[in-house]
Amino acid sequence: MKLSEFKFELPENLLAQHPAKNRDESRLMVLHRDSGKIEHRMFKDILEYFDEGDVFVVNDTKVFPARLFGNKEKTGAQIEVFLLRELNKEIHLWDVLVDPARKIRVGNKLYFGESDMVAEVIDNTTSRGRTIKFLYDGPDEDFYKALYNLGETPIPKDFISRDTEAADKERYQTIYAKNIGAVAAPSAGLHFTKEVMKRLEIKGIDVASVTLHVGLGTFRTVDVEDLTKHKMDSENFMVPAETATMVNKALDAKKRVCAIGTTSMRAMESSVSAHVRLKGNEGWTDRFIFPPYDFKIANALLTNFHTPESTLMMMASAFAGHELLIEAYKLAIKEKYKFFSYGDAMLII
């Protein structure tokens, strides 16, 4: 398929700037792939579509406060430093994005707040990318504590046009987040509450975890018309053996396996055995899923409404069928569903 087939006009006022007051009171659009039927529900109604023995596969990655603000030595100019990934733990070497990038050169030092935290720019990686080394001699525990105190919740500023608020620290995190390493939240999971999780348990619906540390590459612009030429950034993932066992048991029993979010789906599709079952695995994945695609594991997908020409929309299209997804998006705009990370949800079954 071509990039232009995923283009649509998204009114700016439908980009959610804040989450719903209560997580489970977001709207839920339900797409039935077999009949093409589309329903309008509330997220808390999701349990009505699942039965005992079905499995929800969640991504338990935890977002860390990746956005820092430092000052350049001598000039004092404020520089935003967005932490992408730690390259070397022993010497505190990090892959980052800086803004404004034109002011930051190799050898520059950056000072952070009133703390003793200082970083030196070691290398240029892309137009905005840099490798920096934090000059810190204390214990690792103190280093990470200082980093977390300095950092800000990394809500995606390209789509959420406001300053970070105190509430984002809790709301831009799933309630089951456990493994630190993401710079963006797996947004489909943001709708779950303790009450919904308890109701899943009572109904006999199992919840299994995978981990995929979401990077900014998830939101990287696709700039080629021929989708086969687009390259996804690699993201670190893990599928525990116990998750594989639980999912395979459900598949063998012809039960539903619902991927909670595109990241959970990517992790599973990156861990398929020769017998077309899920296997325990860990490593890096750059799998890019777009139509046509034969999904091997999950037979249901919960996702949010995504921005035009995004790789997330492309995966949803591959799962739902392109015509049905486009019809659903047109209806979502007409019915004023909210899009992106803090937006409403879509269940494809």
Side-chain angles (χ1 to χ4, degrees):
M1 293 192 76
K2 303 295 183 185
L3 176 64
S4 52
E5 294 180 72
F6 296 90
K7 191 179 181 77
F8 65 94
E9 290 299 320
L10 177 60
E12 218 171 288
N13 67 318
L14 296 186
L15 273 171
Q17 299 299 304
H18 292 88
K21 185 177 179 181
N22 298 309
R23 290 177 185 261
D24 60 7
E25 290 180 357
S26 297
R27 296 167 75 186
L28 176 70
M29 180 184 283
V30 183
L31 271 60
H32 296 263
R33 294 185 291 175
D34 55 353
S35 65
K37 180 183 175 184
I38 297 175
E39 297 180 85
H40 304 285
R41 307 294 298 269
M42 295 284 284
F43 182 77
K44 60 176 66 172
D45 301 330
I46 191 170
L47 275 81
E48 295 179 23
Y49 298 91
F50 295 90
D51 296 310
E52 184 177 353
D54 291 340
V55 179
F56 280 20
V57 181
V58 303
N59 181 5
D60 67 6
T61 189
K62 190 170 187 176
V63 179
F64 64 89
R67 183 176 281 116
L68 310 179
F69 292 93
N71 296 96
K72 188 179 171 186
E73 62 176 339
K74 296 178 183 173
T75 67
Q78 187 180 74
I79 306 295
E80 179 183 308
V81 177
F82 195 101
L83 303 175
L84 291 177
R85 62 183 65 87
E86 190 172 33
L87 301 173
N88 186 310
K89 190 170 183 173
E90 289 181 15
I91 60 173
H92 304 309
L93 205 64
W94 285 74
D95 186 16
V96 305
L97 295 175
V98 294
D99 186 32
R102 68 183 184 281
K103 294 186 176 182
I104 299 300
R105 296 182 173 85
V106 173
N108 286 160
K109 284 191 173 70
L110 297 168
Y111 294 82
F112 295 91
E114 301 297 318
S115 69
D116 297 327
M117 191 72 79
V118 182
E120 182 177 354
V121 181
I122 304 297
D123 193 16
N124 295 334
T125 53
T126 64
S127 58
R128 287 183 58 210
R130 303 289 186 272
T131 301
I132 67 171
K133 178 182 179 181
F134 286 98
L135 309 177
Y136 194 90
D137 292 330
D140 281 354
E141 188 180 333
D142 291 351
F143 169 73
Y144 292 112
K145 187 176 180 181
L147 212 56
Y148 270 63
N149 287 338
L150 287 167
E152 189 178 274
T153 302
I155 59 171
K157 294 291 182 74
D158 288 349
F159 303 102
I160 298 178
S161 54
R162 61 168 173 82
D163 291 337
T164 302
E165 298 170 2
D168 292 315
K169 188 172 184 180
E170 178 206 350
R171 293 302 303 271
Y172 196 62
Q173 196 83 267
T174 64
I175 63 164
Y176 45 74
K178 185 172 67 173
N179 294 312
I180 296 169
V183 299
S187 55
L190 296 178
H191 305 284
F192 284 87
T193 60
K194 288 179 180 176
E195 290 75 20
V196 168
M197 299 298 276
K198 188 65 182 174
R199 286 168 57 215
L200 285 171
E201 183 186 336
I202 291 168
K203 197 168 182 179
I205 299 165
D206 293 317
V207 178
S209 296
V210 296
T211 304
L212 187 139
H213 293 312
V214 190
L216 283 187
T218 295
F219 308 121
R220 188 157 65 87
T221 305
V222 179
D223 51 15
V224 288
E225 178 67 6
D226 181 354
L227 297 183
T228 62
K229 292 183 166 54
H230 177 69
K231 177 76 171 168
M232 291 284 284
D233 291 357
S234 290
E235 293 170 314
N236 190 233
F237 78 97
M238 180 180 69
V239 177
E242 54 268 31
T243 291
T245 299
M246 190 181 293
V247 166
N248 292 336
K249 180 183 174 185
L251 291 176
D252 292 341
K254 309 292 187 195
K255 293 292 185 178
R256 275 200 171 131
V257 173
C258 184
I260 304 302
T262 58
T263 57
S264 296
M265 183 71 87
R266 283 186 71 216
M268 287 192 283
E269 288 297 308
S270 301
S271 307
V272 181
S273 74
H275 303 292
V276 198
R277 285 293 182 262
L278 189 62
K279 63 180 181 180
N281 193 12
E282 61 180 299
W284 294 81
T285 181
D286 61 357
R287 186 173 294 268
F288 176 30
I289 298 174
F290 60 95
Y293 185 87
D294 179 21
F295 289 86
K296 308 295 194 300
I297 305 296
N299 45 38
L301 170 66
L302 178 75
T303 189
N304 275 25
F305 289 89
H306 305 296
T307 50
E309 300 182 320
S310 63
T311 61
L312 307 173
M313 181 189 177
M314 290 167 193
M315 185 192 290
S317 162
F319 195 80
H322 191 64
E323 288 184 11
L324 179 58
L325 189 88
I326 294 301
E327 180 190 345
Y329 270 47
K330 286 177 180 175
L331 185 57
I333 291 169
K334 181 184 174 186
E335 298 292 332
K336 295 185 165 44
Y337 276 76
K338 292 292 187 178
F339 281 65
F340 205 58
S341 299
Y342 276 153
D344 295 312
M346 172 186 282
L347 175 65
I348 309 169
I349 53 177

